[in-house]
Amino acid sequence: MRTLILFLLKFKTLFLFLGLELISFLLIVNNNQFQRNHFLSSSNRVVGTLYNLSNGVNKYFSLDEVNESLARENEALNTEVVQLREQLAFFRQDTSYKGRRYRAAEKSYDFSTAKIIYFSTVRQKNIFTINKGLSEGVKVGMGVVSEKGVIGIISNASSHFATVMPIVSTLSKTSATVKGKTQLGQLVWKGGDIRYANLEEVPLYIPVAVGDTVVTSGYSSTFPEGYPIGKVLSFSERNDNLYDIKVELSVDFDKLSYVDVIELKGSEEKEELEKKETAKFEK
Amino acid sequence: MIDVTLKRILSFVVLVLVQILLLNNVKFLGFITPYLYIYFVLSLPSSVSKEMTLFWGFLLGLTIDIFCGSLGCNALATTLIAYLKPYFQSFFGPKDDYDEVKPSTATFGFEMYLQYVAYLTIIHHLVFFFVEAFTLSRFWSVLFSAFCCTLFTLLMILSLEYFKHRRR
């Protein structure tokens, strides 16, 4: 009996001790912000780890969606950039009100993003296919660009797909110019390395320097004026008073996945004209 | 009896005052603060029951906490050594059956007393520092400062003992 009482007494001390320690601990956790935060965060760590894990898995499943939404955002931003660029170029050049209205009506572009689903960069007549076609408003002759620069022209369109003839195709001829100059040249590709193309038919009397930006000319109805193509890498003078300019393209054709199709918002008259042009081109 | 209790309360108050007014402002080498107040718990005589020791310890820690703004840390550590103190005392103290043994160099002998104080001090300091840090990520630096402070506290307790005995 005595041992039992002693045992209980010993227990009493232990319980008292544990009780006091518990009070101390509660005091610590309730009154000290630092310890409190630490305690709470530690107890949430297991849940947090699990949450992170499932989030990591979910992220992979939603990558496609994220890509698409980013592409859509790009499309909207690109539209805005080009519009602003147009406005800027126009305000710099033309201060007459009449001309301003005319140009504003004429030069208005819209972008729509498409995904490249097939691309050959090995053959001489390079071609690639995008996942938008006639039903999405993609028509033959429209320009195709990325945010870095010009890519090519729609060469064929079915109801849901379209093929693009890139500027790195031996069949491609794009009217281009050195930035700041009005004289036209023609951008051609002679096969080989898809990082470079040639700008031809630029007369010798125009001063050209290495590093100059090559842009689309304003006379084309396919691309917005002044859209970047590449940079002058080197040039040589030919006998016939023309330059032979080697251009380093700003678009990396090896890494393309999303492109923007440029839709020119013009009058129907203009579309008819374009049709005639295309018909001529196909003969 | 009343005289003993009064003396105990007086020494409690004095130690708390010394701790909060003087020693807490000591920042030797930037981080070493002696915690002399545990001397009160360490020198409680064996006639004080285990429960009373616990209460004294808790009260002492809590009082220090209230003045330091570290509510609970000192209370937790001091309650722990107050719980362990009777066991350590019976282990290191004289085995003869005295009515009342007040732990000191005189009753324990210097070597035993040093061990008794050192063990309890290091336990208190380790618990206190780790509870205050509340993390194991700074393990070594916390351990280091706990040891440095232990040395300092030990030094102070031993000098206090020394002066007490010279006075007598």
Side-chain angles (χ1 to χ4, degrees), chain B:
Chain B
M1 183 61 198
I2 290 175
D3 188 39
V4 171
T5 313
L6 210 66
K7 265 180 92 174
R8 193 161 294 151
I9 290 172
L10 192 71
S11 75
F12 181 94
V13 171
V14 168
L15 270 172
V16 167
L17 285 180
V18 167
Q19 182 65 41
I20 60 176
L21 293 180
L22 210 67
L23 297 181
N24 275 351
N25 297 320
V26 175
K27 290 267 186 297
F28 188 65
L29 295 180
F31 65 94
I32 302 177
T33 305
Y35 293 94
L36 185 64
Y37 71 93
I38 58 168
Y39 180 70
F40 177 82
V41 173
L42 298 184
S43 55
L44 281 175
S46 59
S47 60
V48 179
S49 71
K50 289 178 179 175
E51 289 79 28
M52 276 314 286
T53 313
L54 273 176
F55 270 123
W56 276 116
F58 182 70
L59 193 66
L60 180 66
L62 201 63
T63 315
I64 299 292
D65 274 335
I66 287 166
F67 287 105
C68 293
S70 58
L71 212 57
C73 298
N74 282 301
L76 193 122
T78 317
T79 312
L80 178 65
I81 60 162
Y83 177 73
L84 296 174
K85 183 244 170 195
Y87 302 103
F88 276 77
Q89 182 167 9
S90 58
F91 186 80
F92 289 108
K95 302 290 183 289
D96 316 342
D97 207 7
Y98 287 122
D99 286 340
E100 180 177 297
V101 175
K102 192 174 192 276
S104 72
T105 43
T107 53
F108 275 40
F110 181 77
E111 242 173 72
M112 282 306 196
Y113 184 70
L114 178 65
Q115 285 186 48
Y116 164 76
V117 172
Y119 278 120
L120 286 176
T121 310
I122 192 110
I123 289 169
H124 171 271
H125 282 35
L126 281 177
V127 170
F128 173 66
F129 275 83
F130 275 105
V131 167
E132 200 183 31
F134 219 77
T135 171
L136 291 178
S137 59
R138 291 185 290 119
F139 184 83
W140 293 110
S141 76
V142 171
L143 200 66
F144 180 68
S145 43
F147 271 110
C148 291
C149 290
T150 304
L151 288 180
F152 229 65
T153 308
L154 272 180
L155 201 68
M156 295 209 71
I157 289 175
L158 292 178
S159 12
L160 203 65
E161 277 289 311
Y162 177 72
F163 282 116
K164 268 171 84 174
H165 288 289
R166 254 185 46 164
R167 206 180 53 194
R168 271 175 203 170

Side-chain angles (χ1 to χ4, degrees), chain A residues 130-163:
Chain A
I130 57 173
N131 67 348
K132 280 194 177 170
L134 291 168
S135 61
E136 284 93 0
V138 173
K139 287 167 199 153
V140 174
M142 281 182 171
V144 179
V145 298
S146 81
E147 72 278 3
K148 281 183 180 161
V150 170
I151 289 173
I153 295 170
I154 302 283
S155 58
N156 226 325
S158 66
S159 61
H160 290 102
F161 298 100
T163 52

Side-chain angles (χ1 to χ4, degrees), chain A residues 16 22 81 88 118 124 130 140-141 145-146 149 183 199 212 218 230 250 261 264 272 279 281:
Chain A
L16 185 67
L22 188 68
V81 165
L88 188 72
Y118 170 75
Q124 294 285 297
I130 57 173
V140 174
V145 298
S146 81
Q183 282 75 13
L199 183 62
D212 278 355
S250 45
V261 181
L264 177 70
E272 268 173 41
F281 201 71

Side-chain angles (χ1 to χ4, degrees), chain A residues 54-68:
Chain A
S54 76
N55 195 26
V57 175
N58 280 345
K59 227 166 31 184
Y60 276 101
F61 284 119
S62 63
L63 269 183
D64 252 1
E65 258 170 62
V66 172
N67 267 353
E68 227 153 275

Side-chain angles (χ1 to χ4, degrees), chain A residues 9-10 12-14 16-17 20-25 27-29 31-32 34-36 38-39 42, chain B residues 50-51 54-55 58 62 69-73 75-77 79-80 83 87 131-135 138:
Chain A
L9 273 176
K10 207 175 165 187
K12 204 174 81 183
T13 320
L14 186 69
L16 185 67
F17 165 67
L20 289 176
E21 293 289 48
L22 188 68
I23 293 171
S24 306
F25 186 75
L27 279 175
I28 293 172
V29 174
N31 289 290
N32 302 34
F34 170 69
Q35 271 93 342
R36 180 189 203 157
H38 210 89
F39 180 69
S42 310
Chain B
K50 289 178 179 175
E51 289 79 28
L54 273 176
F55 270 123
F58 182 70
L62 201 63
S70 58
L71 212 57
C73 298
L76 193 122
T79 312
L80 178 65
Y83 177 73
Y87 302 103
V131 167
E132 200 183 31
F134 219 77
T135 171
R138 291 185 290 119

